[in-house]
Amino acid sequence: MAYPPHLKAGDRVVLFDGVCKLCNGWSRFLIRHDRAGKLKLCSVQSPQGQAILAWFGMPLDHFDTLLYVEGDRALARSDAILAILRQLPAPWRWATVLRVIPRGLRDWMYDPIARNRYRLFGRHDYCQVPRPEDRERFLHD
């Protein structure tokens, strides 16, 4: 099986918009609650993030969703959120019961937040640098 660049067997990677304040909050949430360290994080603006996006044929300059990558498969939008939550301990894992809601309806709720995230939550002028104690949680060469 071929893997996206910078990934190896067993990697589970969350790609997020590194200048989005909501997305940075989400990455801090994952670091705090993924105590087992199952998930790696990667900014879409980083060289690694850009290479992974290119491998999946996704836009390199317009980020309207987070992406969850496991093996050679990428999930976006509400499917990505649910796959990520499934990796976390209870009670966060329990939210995956929302999978019973049809994807179209879940994505209909996800899309306006993603589309308006800068206006609603703000943005940083540059990608945030991980804290030294969190560096191992981020995908790097």
Side-chain angles (χ1 to χ4, degrees):
M1 169 188 301
Y3 295 105
H6 309 284
L7 271 68
K8 59 185 182 309
D11 282 347
R12 297 177 182 115
V13 179
V14 178
L15 275 82
F16 66 97
D17 182 346
V19 297
C20 169
K21 288 185 177 181
L22 173 64
C23 302
N24 275 279
W26 173 245
S27 68
R28 286 190 306 275
F29 171 87
L30 294 176
I31 289 169
R32 187 170 52 252
H33 295 289
D34 177 25
R35 293 180 209 100
K38 294 179 182 179
L39 300 168
K40 291 187 181 217
L41 301 165
C42 183
S43 164
V44 293
Q45 289 90 352
S46 70
Q48 297 85 357
Q50 290 282 291
I52 294 167
L53 289 173
W55 195 85
F56 284 109
M58 301 200 63
L60 302 179
D61 59 350
H62 176 71
F63 318 112
D64 60 357
T65 183
L66 66 88
L67 206 63
Y68 172 75
V69 179
E70 186 172 349
D72 63 348
R73 185 174 80 128
L75 298 174
R77 301 163 76 191
S78 65
D79 282 343
I81 297 283
L82 293 174
I84 293 164
L85 289 171
R86 188 175 53 241
Q87 306 301 317
L88 300 179
W92 309 110
R93 177 180 301 165
W94 300 339
T96 59
V97 71
L98 297 173
R99 189 169 288 292
V100 300
I101 299 171
R103 178 187 301 137
L105 183 56
R106 284 187 277 124
D107 287 346
W108 179 79
M109 293 183 287
Y110 176 94
D111 288 343
I113 296 168
R115 196 172 36 251
N116 296 294
R117 68 191 182 277
Y118 296 145
R119 188 170 50 79
L120 294 170
F121 301 97
R123 69 182 291 158
H124 298 289
D125 293 330
Y126 53 88
C127 280
Q128 300 295 292
V129 176
R131 298 179 314 176
E133 62 268 24
D134 298 330
R135 280 228 166 99
E136 76 278 355
R137 300 298 302 276
F138 285 77
L139 192 63
H140 52 78
D141 288 326

